[in-house]
Amino acid sequence: MEILKIFIPFAFGYFLSYLMRVVNAVIAPNLVVELELTAADLGLLTSANFLAFSAAQLPLGVLLDRFGPRLIEALLLLFAASGAFLFANAQSMPELITGRALIGLGTSACLMGAFKAYLMWVPSKKIPLINGLQMTAGGLGAVTGTVPMELALTITDWRGLFVGFGFIAIFISLIIYLAVPQQSETNRTISSLTDQFGGLVKIYTNPIFWRIAPITIASQSMFLGTQSLWAGPWLSDVAGLDRDVVAHYLLIIAIAMVGGFLGMGTVANQLEKWGIKTITVSIGGMIIFALIQLPIIFLWIDLALPLWIAFGFFGTAGILSYASLPLYFPSEMAGRVITALNVFTFGGAFAAQWGMGLIINLWPNYDIVGSYDPSGYQAAFALMLAIQLAGLAWFFFFRKTKV
């Protein structure tokens, strides 16, 4: 019961975080038409969420270790609320970007804060499983960001959606602050902020970190950047699906992602009992994820649905690194370890999402406004696959340390 008091509030926070992250995949046509956006514009304003999210990670890790996840996440969600209100009333690209950036800043603790809380209060053997359940809550947010949001657009517009998101963020902030236990939140083993930031130096000079980080960053950048935006336009421009069908496909992909979060965590938890490390499961899943992208690059549109279901399921494999990497460091550094990785993961997601938009934008379809040629998607996806293969090669050939 005590675990549920911790899990449920943080799960609600991550649900909302993921919902606001992915909703642009559904409302993209509305934004493009109403505000006359290019693919590059769409990629930039959507990825501003990731950039602010990334920039917050290093100070966030220090704050989580020093003040605890309850206070920090409750405060940051108020920034998310202000960002949602600004986005809802935006009339220009700078306002849209600022709103998305505030949302990214405000939700930057929704996952890392939960991970930190679980490392503090949950037995270590249950960490992969409860982390998987936390990711499942985010996956449910992604599910809600598909067909349910498309249906909501028949009642209100995209601006009304973000007004609602703002009020929900305020409500969840109150739940976290009032419901999460207060004990053990302050890490009193660290005497100063200087000591805390010094811990980051230890993390970034540790060879274990640099063996695991590149492939995790590459894989998650591709998954986050695509699943939260470019999957929808691909299904429309490449597979030629109507908008309502695209929304249903995105729903199925999100459900597959939920299955991946839950399934990968469960498998890792079970295999850990048999002596197989969580990082081994993670690397195996990321290899499969990379292979799935090949037929997508080669435009096997007849197999679009099963391919994207597999994309959604195995794209979650990289998250297992967040459960395994902190185990190589002292427990009081857990918040800084996961945020030290996250700053690169979400910085990579920003670069991937915007960069893919820049590439796709090079092949416009002049017959349909806001549409792009399949060749652009091929080029963008191929570049992302090459980066992942480089990350895998680094993992297998980097022999300074064992994991």
Side-chain angles (χ1 to χ4, degrees), residues 19-230:
L19 171 57
M20 289 195 288
R21 181 189 302 168
V22 305
V23 71
N24 276 19
V26 169
I27 68 172
N30 305 77
L31 295 174
V32 168
V33 172
E34 181 174 336
L35 300 169
E36 299 180 347
L37 305 179
T38 67
D41 291 335
L42 184 61
L44 176 59
L45 78 87
T46 303
S47 63
N49 181 297
F50 290 135
L51 182 61
F53 200 108
S54 172
Q57 292 307 297
L58 293 184
L60 175 63
V62 172
L63 292 171
L64 287 174
D65 281 338
R66 187 171 181 84
F67 299 107
R70 168 180 168 267
L71 175 62
I72 298 304
E73 183 166 340
L75 287 174
L76 284 176
L77 278 170
L78 298 180
F79 284 90
S82 66
F85 293 140
L86 177 58
F87 194 89
N89 291 282
Q91 301 295 331
S92 65
M93 271 291 291
E95 290 176 329
L96 288 168
I97 291 171
T98 303
R100 287 290 292 181
L102 281 171
I103 290 171
L105 172 64
T107 57
S108 61
C110 287
L111 182 59
M112 297 300 102
F115 281 178
K116 171 65 177 179
Y118 302 152
L119 287 165
M120 290 166 62
W121 287 309
V122 176
S124 61
K125 291 184 178 180
K126 295 183 180 295
I127 292 296
L129 178 58
I130 198 163
N131 280 0
L133 291 172
Q134 175 72 14
M135 297 305 298
T136 300
L140 293 174
V143 169
T144 306
T146 59
V147 171
M149 290 299 99
E150 185 73 22
L151 293 174
L153 289 173
T154 63
I155 301 173
T156 184
D157 59 6
W158 62 271
R159 297 181 186 276
L161 291 180
F162 276 85
V163 170
F165 296 157
F167 284 114
I168 294 172
I170 294 172
F171 177 69
I172 295 175
S173 171
L174 289 172
I175 291 178
I176 290 173
Y177 188 77
L178 296 175
V180 174
Q182 297 187 46
Q183 63 267 26
S184 302
E185 281 210 56
T186 302
N187 188 335
R188 302 188 185 277
T189 64
I190 300 176
S191 59
S192 70
L193 289 175
T194 301
D195 292 336
Q196 291 182 336
F197 279 108
L200 293 173
V201 176
K202 295 179 181 179
I203 294 167
Y204 283 133
T205 55
N206 190 307
I208 291 177
F209 180 89
W210 289 113
R211 185 176 182 193
I212 295 173
I215 179 53
T216 302
I217 295 163
S219 182
Q220 285 296 286
S221 293
M222 172 57 176
F223 180 60
L224 293 170
T226 303
Q227 188 268 339
S228 63
L229 179 60
W230 294 118

Side-chain angles (χ1 to χ4, degrees), residues 139-396:
L140 293 174
V143 169
T144 306
T146 59
V147 171
M149 290 299 99
E150 185 73 22
L151 293 174
L153 289 173
T154 63
I155 301 173
T156 184
D157 59 6
W158 62 271
R159 297 181 186 276
L161 291 180
F162 276 85
V163 170
F165 296 157
F167 284 114
I168 294 172
I170 294 172
F171 177 69
I172 295 175
S173 171
L174 289 172
I175 291 178
I176 290 173
Y177 188 77
L178 296 175
V180 174
Q182 297 187 46
Q183 63 267 26
S184 302
E185 281 210 56
T186 302
N187 188 335
R188 302 188 185 277
T189 64
I190 300 176
S191 59
S192 70
L193 289 175
T194 301
D195 292 336
Q196 291 182 336
F197 279 108
L200 293 173
V201 176
K202 295 179 181 179
I203 294 167
Y204 283 133
T205 55
N206 190 307
I208 291 177
F209 180 89
W210 289 113
R211 185 176 182 193
I212 295 173
I215 179 53
T216 302
I217 295 163
S219 182
Q220 285 296 286
S221 293
M222 172 57 176
F223 180 60
L224 293 170
T226 303
Q227 188 268 339
S228 63
L229 179 60
W230 294 118
W234 189 97
L235 291 168
S236 176
D237 295 345
V238 178
L241 302 178
D242 294 333
R243 178 167 176 166
D244 59 338
V245 180
V246 169
H248 282 84
Y249 271 43
L250 291 174
L251 171 64
I252 295 170
I253 295 167
I255 292 172
M257 183 181 70
V258 173
F261 287 142
L262 192 58
M264 297 295 287
T266 302
V267 169
N269 189 62
Q270 183 61 47
L271 292 180
E272 188 79 30
K273 299 176 183 177
W274 299 344
I276 299 174
K277 294 182 178 180
T278 298
I279 191 60
T280 302
V281 180
S282 181
I283 294 297
M286 286 188 280
I287 291 172
I288 297 172
F289 177 62
L291 292 174
I292 290 165
Q293 294 165 48
L294 277 172
I296 294 177
I297 291 170
F298 288 115
L299 307 183
W300 291 14
I301 58 176
D302 291 339
L303 296 175
L305 183 56
L307 285 173
W308 281 97
I309 289 174
F311 184 97
F313 185 91
F314 287 102
T316 64
I319 203 67
L320 292 176
S321 298
Y322 289 85
S324 58
L325 190 58
L327 301 179
Y328 297 98
F329 296 87
S331 59
E332 66 270 15
M333 295 176 65
R336 283 163 290 172
V337 172
I338 54 181
T339 52
L341 177 59
N342 225 29
V343 67
F344 289 108
T345 296
F346 281 85
F350 162 75
Q353 195 166 74
W354 185 22
M356 291 172 74
L358 291 171
I359 294 171
I360 293 167
N361 206 55
L362 297 175
W363 282 271
N365 182 349
Y366 294 105
D367 295 329
I368 305 175
V369 176
S371 179
Y372 294 86
D373 190 273
S375 298
Y377 292 93
Q378 284 184 297
F381 279 49
L383 175 60
M384 293 305 302
L385 177 58
I387 294 172
Q388 291 165 79
L389 294 177
L392 284 168
W394 175 263
F395 178 84
F396 287 111

